[in-house]
Structures are given as structure tokens and as C-alpha cells.
């Protein structure tokens, strides 16, 4: 996907951009910052990880098994429970049910979704993070149980001069739950206007660009 982003920049004739990568999109953003630093003005790594550890492997191995054993509908319903904080699910239940139905209608073949999980488990550019010189903001939520806050802290430690901001709550999709605060923090690093802003979403079972941050 990093190559796809570079091709998109070329097609749009954007020489340098502010890149925001959420979750799996944050892994893509890490690759961009390592391999194509001249194309980035700044980078925001949102709710992402360095490399799979024992917790991450347990979670995603279970999610893959859930998909394969019980199918996409149960997979998506279970995803809601880990992607959002409990209180937000309670307040937005009907909205989330509608989103689950939309995502189910556009769900990718199960083997493709399973292969994406395998790719996430294999991802590891941690030994190269010290090469990143692009101004970097790392953001996460302390109650995120998909990519726990310690991943954000590790990214900030390994990337020279990176800034880290942890929101006290919001879950994995705190970018929706705390949208206004997240936007304000983004503005602090990339300026109040967003020329050439490229948002790299979480990898999804369907069309990633259309549904920029839904259940994957």
C-alpha cells in the first residue's frame, strides 16, 4: 500500500504531503516515512503498532479464527466491541448496527481478510524507525485494547524527536469518539491548513477509501 500512496501522490502531482495513518494505515505511514521521506512534510501515526507482540498475536489470531469459524457477520459484531469503548457503544448502538450491516454488504472474501491479518502480524520495521526524520506525531488512547498505548509510547521513543499524545479514553477508534480533539492535535504539527493531506485508513474488508475508518 505504501507504493500505492506514492503513485497517488504522483497522479495528483503532490510533491510533499502531510500523512495521517490510522491503525494499519499507521504501518503504511511508517514505511512511507522510512522509504520516501522526501514525499512527507509531516506524519501522524494514529493507534498503530511497532511489531506484533504476544498480546497482539493472541488478539488477531483469535479474530482470524472467529472469522473463519463463525463468518463475517459475527466477526464484524465482535470487532465493534474491541474497536470502541463500552460507553460509546451503549450510546451509539443503532448507528453501529447500521455500520455493521453496511460493512457486511461490502465484505471482502474471507481469505483476503485473513491474509491481511497475516500481513499485520508479520509487519515489523521497528529496527528502521530511527531513520525517520520527518516531524512525527504519535497519538493513541489509553483504553485502546487493539493497539494498546504502550505501542504509541514505543513508537515515540524509537522515532527521533517524535511527539506523543495519549487521550485518556476513546478506544481504538478514538479518532471518531474524540474527533474534535484529534483534529486540533493534528493541526499543531501540520498547520491549520492541509495542503496535500493524505489520510491512510485502517485496512478494511471492503473499500478502504470509501469507508475510511471502519471495522477491519
Amino acid at each position: 500500500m505504501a507504493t500505492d500512496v506514492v503513485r497517488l501522490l504522483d497522479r495528483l502531482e503532490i510533491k510533499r504531503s502531510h500523512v495521517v495513518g490510522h491503525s494499519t494505515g499507521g504501518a503504511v505511514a511508517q514505511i512511507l516515512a522510512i522509504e520516501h521521506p522526501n514525499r512527507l512534510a509531516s506524519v501522524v501515526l494514529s493507534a498503530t503498532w511497532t511489531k506484533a507482540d504476544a498480546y497482539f498475536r493472541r488478539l488477531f489470531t483469535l479474530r482470524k479464527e472467529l472469522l473463519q469459524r463463525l463468518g463475517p457477520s459475527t466477526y464484524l459484531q465482535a470487532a465493534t466491541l474491541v474497536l470502541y469503548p463500552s460507553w460509546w457503544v451503549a450510546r451509539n448502538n443503532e448507528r453501529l448496527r447500521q455500520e455493521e450491516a453496511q460493512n457486511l454488504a461490502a465484505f471482502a472474501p474471507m481469505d483476503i481478510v485473513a491474509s491481511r491479518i497475516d500481513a499485520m502480524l508479520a509487519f515489523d520495521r521497528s529496527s528502521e524507525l530511527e531513520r525517520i526524520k520527518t516531524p512525527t506525531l504519535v497519538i493513541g488512547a489509553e483504553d485502546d485494547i487493539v493497539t494498546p498505548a504502550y505501542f504509541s509510547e514505543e513508537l515515540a521513543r524509537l522515532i527521533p524527536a517524535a511527539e506523543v499524545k495519549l487521550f485518556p479514553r476513546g478506544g481504538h477508534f478514538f479518532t471518531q469518539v474524540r474527533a474534535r480533539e484529534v483534529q486540533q492535535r493534528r493541526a499543531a504539527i501540520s498547520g491549520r491548513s492541509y495542503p496535500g493531506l493524505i489520510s491512510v485508513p485502517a485496512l478494511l474488508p471492503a473499500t478502504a477509501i470509501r469507508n475510511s475508518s471502519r471495522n477491519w
Side-chain angles (χ1 to χ4, degrees), residues 123-140:
F123 175 77
D124 179 7
R125 302 298 291 267
S126 57
S127 65
E128 301 171 85
L129 291 173
E130 64 181 13
R131 293 169 48 191
I132 296 178
K133 307 303 180 185
T134 303
T136 301
L137 171 65
V138 183
I139 55 177

Side-chain angles (χ1 to χ4, degrees), residues 21-31 33-34 43-51 123-132 134 136-140 144 147-166:
H22 182 80
S23 196
T24 310
V28 176
Q30 290 176 55
I31 297 172
I34 292 168
V43 61
V44 178
L45 302 177
S46 171
T48 190
W49 73 101
T50 49
K51 61 181 178 180
F123 175 77
D124 179 7
R125 302 298 291 267
S126 57
S127 65
E128 301 171 85
L129 291 173
E130 64 181 13
R131 293 169 48 191
I132 296 178
T134 303
T136 301
L137 171 65
V138 183
I139 55 177
D144 183 353
T147 52
Y150 63 79
F151 282 126
S152 295
E153 293 169 341
E154 184 179 21
L155 282 164
R157 179 175 58 83
L158 294 175
I159 298 172
E163 178 186 353
V164 62
K165 167 63 179 178
L166 294 177

Side-chain angles (χ1 to χ4, degrees), residues 22-27 30 46-65 75 82-83 115-124 144-152 154-155 172 202-203 216:
H22 182 80
S23 196
T24 310
Q30 290 176 55
S46 171
T48 190
W49 73 101
T50 49
K51 61 181 178 180
D53 64 0
Y55 173 82
F56 194 90
R57 289 188 181 280
R58 274 179 174 263
L59 176 62
F60 280 93
T61 299
L62 178 61
R63 294 186 68 187
K64 180 179 176 181
E65 185 173 353
Y75 174 83
V82 297
L83 296 174
S115 70
R116 290 172 179 170
I117 292 175
D118 291 339
M120 293 168 63
L121 293 173
F123 175 77
D124 179 7
D144 183 353
I145 63 171
V146 177
T147 52
Y150 63 79
F151 282 126
S152 295
E154 184 179 21
L155 282 164
H172 187 62
L203 284 180
W216 35 264

